[in-house]
Amino acid sequence: QVQLVESGGGLVQAGGSLRLSCAASGRTFSSYAMGWFRQAPGKEREFVAAISTSGGNTHYADSVTGRFTISRDNAKNTVYLQMNSLKPEDTAVYYCACATEYNIATLSYEYDYWGQGTQVTVSS
């Protein structure tokens, strides 16, 4: 069982930045692929970013490429999402997720564990 706890969400003006963190339980964090998803009101959950077990490979949704950066610190069992140049359309609940069977994963069904989510609101 893996527990994921997100933090760092909040209210920010358009053009601003936020950094989300996700702390994971367990002693095998370095063997898990990690990802971030988001869900806006009235919309389906969508993929945002993923990082491989070692951190050497990353993948981003087209809508955030060049603005968001995913990273991980395996010594701290934590994955991060640095979000720059935020837009109102980035407003959503952001979820951290853990995939135990893949080196890197971009599809929601590939993920086994999910955090409770953190709200990000970008005002115009």
Side-chain angles (χ1 to χ4, degrees):
Q1 189 78 9
V2 178
Q3 293 185 330
L4 303 172
V5 180
E6 301 99 334
S7 61
L11 173 65
V12 64
Q13 289 189 333
S17 298
L18 282 175
R19 189 176 82 152
L20 305 183
S21 299
C22 173
S25 65
R27 292 179 288 179
T28 57
F29 176 77
S30 60
S31 66
Y32 303 150
M34 299 296 296
W36 289 94
F37 289 74
R38 67 186 181 187
Q39 186 167 19
K43 295 187 177 182
E44 294 187 354
R45 184 170 57 191
E46 65 175 0
F47 168 77
V48 175
I51 190 165
S52 63
T53 55
S54 67
N57 292 318
T58 57
H59 188 77
Y60 298 92
D62 290 344
S63 59
V64 307
T65 297
R67 300 188 298 122
F68 291 11
T69 302
I70 189 171
S71 62
R72 65 190 297 162
D73 185 338
N74 286 343
K76 295 183 178 180
N77 280 19
T78 301
V79 62
Y80 305 97
L81 185 68
Q82 178 67 43
M83 305 185 295
N84 298 330
S85 301
L86 283 161
K87 304 175 182 180
E89 51 263 45
D90 294 318
T91 295
V93 177
Y94 283 71
Y95 296 92
C96 169
C98 164
T100 62
E101 301 292 332
Y102 299 87
N103 180 59
I104 189 168
T106 61
L107 302 174
S108 60
Y109 75 82
E110 296 175 319
Y111 285 86
D112 305 293
Y113 300 99
W114 296 80
Q116 81 289 348
T118 186
Q119 177 70 47
V120 172
T121 302
V122 184
S123 63
S124 57

